[in-house]
Amino acid sequence: MNFNIEQIRADFPILQRKIYNRQMVYFDNGASTQKPRQVIDAICKYYESDNCNIHRGVHHLSVVATEAYEETRKLVRDFIHAKSAGEIIFTKGATESLNLVATSFGKKYVGAGDEVITTIMEHHSNFVPWQVMCAERGATLRIAGINDKGELNLAEIEGMMNDKTRIVAIAHVSNVLGTINPVKKIIAMAHRHGIPVLLDGAQGVSHLPVDVQELDCDFYCFSGHKMYAPMGTGVLYGKEKYLEEMPPYQLGGEMIRDVFVDHTTYNDLPYKFEAGTPNVEGVAGLHAAILYLKGLGMARIAHYEDTLVEYATRKLLEIEGIRIYGTSANKASLVSFLIGNIHPYDAGMIIDKMGIAVRTGHHCAMPLMDFMKIPGTVRASFAFYNTTGEIDQLIAAIRKVREMFA
Ligand code: PLP
């Protein structure tokens, strides 16, 4: 597939939509991406010809649906270059993947007096599960700060590592600042101390090529809906050595091997962590989304989106009174900013009236907002179907906001 923007846009029916009689500009991809026709068709095809519960049937439809589901697991394995399909667990999203690890890893490995390291830039989904697990288990959550550019300080993080540290849980890419964290270095550092690392890849996997073996991360979590796949799909990658040891997160059908009246034995990986009927049609859509991303090529997507971030940053800085939050040289996919003293919510409302979707507020990162001493930001987050022309429209809208508040 060529990286032809017009052709790409034609694959996304919703991009033709008009909002307030204007061609919609969708810059809320960090919250959720739009879906290409190929994904929508895959879901329709699933319901029109393959719909059936998986894993428990000998009849034809069940076998077909099961095979398709397991093929997607292999596709995900290859997409993030995991060692085995058993290390790929389907969840309903990054949040569920993160809760699974915090709960299950916590039960197995974290006790009173232990420590967990995270950072101030985390999304609540990679913060609250650790905070609560630590409180329940008498452990301490240690929180690394950031510098003025929105970057982590590696020396600070290494200084927090000690023989009580059980895990480091950090974002691959910040959903507020856009910072691509130096995760490979952090992982190598943690491993020198014998500490596993979880990466919250919710904002990573749709923008960057991800190779979990090369990164050597111990867990990697992401959501399907942020990578052009349906809502309610997600993945937890975990190294087998941890997943084998961790207790199941939920109990019920499929995750069992045998149930006796007085005890239960558990299924092999990955099924041990997939209790109940999964989102089979969502996974069919995830399959189509991954094929679509592979067709474009993650490296080309990353390169194109970098040009959008650079263009938006340059144009924003031409406007008086703009403050950008997250100015690391190593950034992906988004710009977060404030316009003078205008409240982000007010700015977002006016920008919306011009048919442009941006997100405003704390972006589920309240500790980060407190750290930066701001109520929130306006965030424009990009996808490969966005254009510099659309960014020009955003810039015009921001100028209008300034005029209205002058
Ligand atoms: N982590 C990060 C960095 C995110 O940006 C998000 C969503 O915005 C999440 C986790 C949670 O993702 P989901 O709501 O799809 O579970």
Side-chain angles (χ1 to χ4, degrees), residues 42 86-87 104 126-127 136 139 143 149 151 190 224 256 352 364 369 377:
E87 295 176 319
S104 190
N126 193 33
F127 194 87
E136 284 173 358
I143 302 161
K149 293 181 176 172
E151 297 167 327
I256 55 98
D352 168 64
C364 294
M369 296 301 142
T377 70

Tab-separated table of all heavy atoms in Angstrom, residues 42 86-87 104 126-127 136 139 143 149 151 190 224 256 352 364 369 377:
chain	number	residue	atom	x	y	z
A	42	ALA	N	-14.783	-6.152	8.442
A	42	ALA	CA	-14.404	-7.397	9.129
A	42	ALA	C	-15.419	-7.731	10.220
A	42	ALA	O	-15.758	-8.901	10.431
A	42	ALA	CB	-13.004	-7.266	9.729
A	86	GLY	N	1.299	-17.640	23.421
A	86	GLY	CA	0.848	-17.801	24.802
A	86	GLY	C	1.102	-16.561	25.646
A	86	GLY	O	0.548	-16.405	26.734
A	87	GLU	N	1.957	-15.681	25.145
A	87	GLU	CA	2.262	-14.451	25.891
A	87	GLU	C	1.315	-13.307	25.512
A	87	GLU	O	1.462	-12.193	26.011
A	87	GLU	CB	3.700	-14.014	25.603
A	87	GLU	CG	4.742	-15.005	26.104
A	87	GLU	CD	6.164	-14.623	25.727
A	87	GLU	OE1	6.378	-14.169	24.569
A	87	GLU	OE2	7.066	-14.777	26.565
A	104	SER	N	-2.716	-9.081	39.753
A	104	SER	CA	-2.226	-10.447	39.763
A	104	SER	C	-0.732	-10.503	40.127
A	104	SER	O	-0.307	-11.341	40.929
A	104	SER	CB	-2.494	-11.004	38.365
A	104	SER	OG	-2.287	-12.335	38.318
A	126	ASN	N	-2.622	3.639	34.559
A	126	ASN	CA	-1.338	3.050	34.958
A	126	ASN	C	-0.841	3.682	36.254
A	126	ASN	O	0.351	3.690	36.540
A	126	ASN	CB	-0.280	3.230	33.853
A	126	ASN	CG	0.948	2.362	34.094
A	126	ASN	OD1	0.839	1.254	34.633
A	126	ASN	ND2	2.125	2.858	33.721
A	127	PHE	N	-1.746	4.225	36.998
A	127	PHE	CA	-1.374	4.877	38.256
A	127	PHE	C	-2.238	4.326	39.400
A	127	PHE	O	-1.731	3.755	40.349
A	127	PHE	CB	-1.544	6.396	38.106
A	127	PHE	CG	-0.896	7.184	39.195
A	127	PHE	CD1	0.433	7.559	39.111
A	127	PHE	CD2	-1.608	7.556	40.326
A	127	PHE	CE1	1.052	8.269	40.129
A	127	PHE	CE2	-1.006	8.277	41.343
A	127	PHE	CZ	0.327	8.640	41.248
A	136	GLU	N	-3.154	-1.713	49.503
A	136	GLU	CA	-3.719	-2.967	50.023
A	136	GLU	C	-2.651	-3.910	50.559
A	136	GLU	O	-2.894	-4.678	51.476
A	136	GLU	CB	-4.508	-3.686	48.920
A	136	GLU	CG	-5.862	-3.045	48.659
A	136	GLU	CD	-6.582	-3.632	47.453
A	136	GLU	OE1	-6.020	-4.522	46.774
A	136	GLU	OE2	-7.700	-3.173	47.178
A	139	ALA	N	2.634	-1.829	50.585
A	139	ALA	CA	3.822	-1.449	49.813
A	139	ALA	C	3.796	0.060	49.553
A	139	ALA	O	2.796	0.730	49.802
A	139	ALA	CB	3.855	-2.220	48.496
A	143	ILE	N	7.227	7.678	42.971
A	143	ILE	CA	6.788	8.371	41.758
A	143	ILE	C	7.899	9.278	41.227
A	143	ILE	O	8.270	10.268	41.869
A	143	ILE	CB	5.515	9.204	42.077
A	143	ILE	CG1	4.414	8.262	42.619
A	143	ILE	CG2	5.024	9.947	40.835
A	143	ILE	CD1	3.325	8.964	43.362
A	149	LYS	N	10.799	20.004	30.201
A	149	LYS	CA	10.413	19.554	28.853
A	149	LYS	C	9.428	18.384	28.883
A	149	LYS	O	8.983	17.924	27.841
A	149	LYS	CB	11.662	19.108	28.083
A	149	LYS	CG	12.624	20.219	27.764
A	149	LYS	CD	13.765	19.619	26.986
A	149	LYS	CE	14.729	20.708	26.555
A	149	LYS	NZ	15.942	20.117	25.974
A	151	GLU	N	10.287	15.415	30.437
A	151	GLU	CA	11.104	14.196	30.296
A	151	GLU	C	11.428	13.611	31.664
A	151	GLU	O	11.581	14.348	32.643
A	151	GLU	CB	12.436	14.539	29.596
A	151	GLU	CG	12.255	15.048	28.189
A	151	GLU	CD	13.542	15.675	27.632
A	151	GLU	OE1	14.316	16.276	28.413
A	151	GLU	OE2	13.745	15.568	26.418
A	190	ALA	N	16.683	-1.290	34.957
A	190	ALA	CA	15.891	-2.067	35.925
A	190	ALA	C	16.359	-3.514	35.946
A	190	ALA	O	16.485	-4.121	37.018
A	190	ALA	CB	14.404	-1.989	35.568
A	224	GLY	N	-7.108	-1.758	21.626
A	224	GLY	CA	-7.393	-1.834	20.194
A	224	GLY	C	-7.955	-0.535	19.645
A	224	GLY	O	-7.591	-0.096	18.550
A	256	ILE	N	-10.338	-22.327	33.206
A	256	ILE	CA	-10.176	-23.505	34.063
A	256	ILE	C	-9.607	-24.687	33.279
A	256	ILE	O	-9.709	-24.740	32.060
A	256	ILE	CB	-11.525	-23.935	34.690
A	256	ILE	CG1	-12.583	-24.153	33.599
A	256	ILE	CG2	-12.013	-22.910	35.670
A	256	ILE	CD1	-12.771	-25.541	33.198
A	352	ASP	N	-14.415	23.530	18.889
A	352	ASP	CA	-15.438	22.553	18.459
A	352	ASP	C	-16.448	23.198	17.516
A	352	ASP	O	-16.864	22.597	16.517
A	352	ASP	CB	-16.166	21.992	19.689
A	352	ASP	CG	-17.411	21.225	19.299
A	352	ASP	OD1	-17.265	20.192	18.615
A	352	ASP	OD2	-18.534	21.657	19.647
A	364	CYS	N	-7.072	12.432	32.083
A	364	CYS	CA	-6.884	11.289	33.011
A	364	CYS	C	-5.464	11.248	33.539
A	364	CYS	O	-4.856	10.163	33.651
A	364	CYS	CB	-7.250	9.961	32.347
A	364	CYS	SG	-8.978	9.834	31.959
A	369	MET	N	-1.197	17.071	36.167
A	369	MET	CA	-1.720	18.448	36.139
A	369	MET	C	-1.329	19.175	37.435
A	369	MET	O	-0.930	20.336	37.407
A	369	MET	CB	-3.244	18.445	35.963
A	369	MET	CG	-3.700	17.864	34.650
A	369	MET	SD	-3.017	18.747	33.230
A	369	MET	CE	-2.702	17.393	32.118
A	377	THR	N	-5.062	20.893	29.752
A	377	THR	CA	-4.522	21.461	28.501
A	377	THR	C	-5.542	21.233	27.392
A	377	THR	O	-6.530	20.511	27.564
A	377	THR	CB	-3.205	20.774	28.065
A	377	THR	OG1	-3.493	19.440	27.635
A	377	THR	CG2	-2.158	20.753	29.169
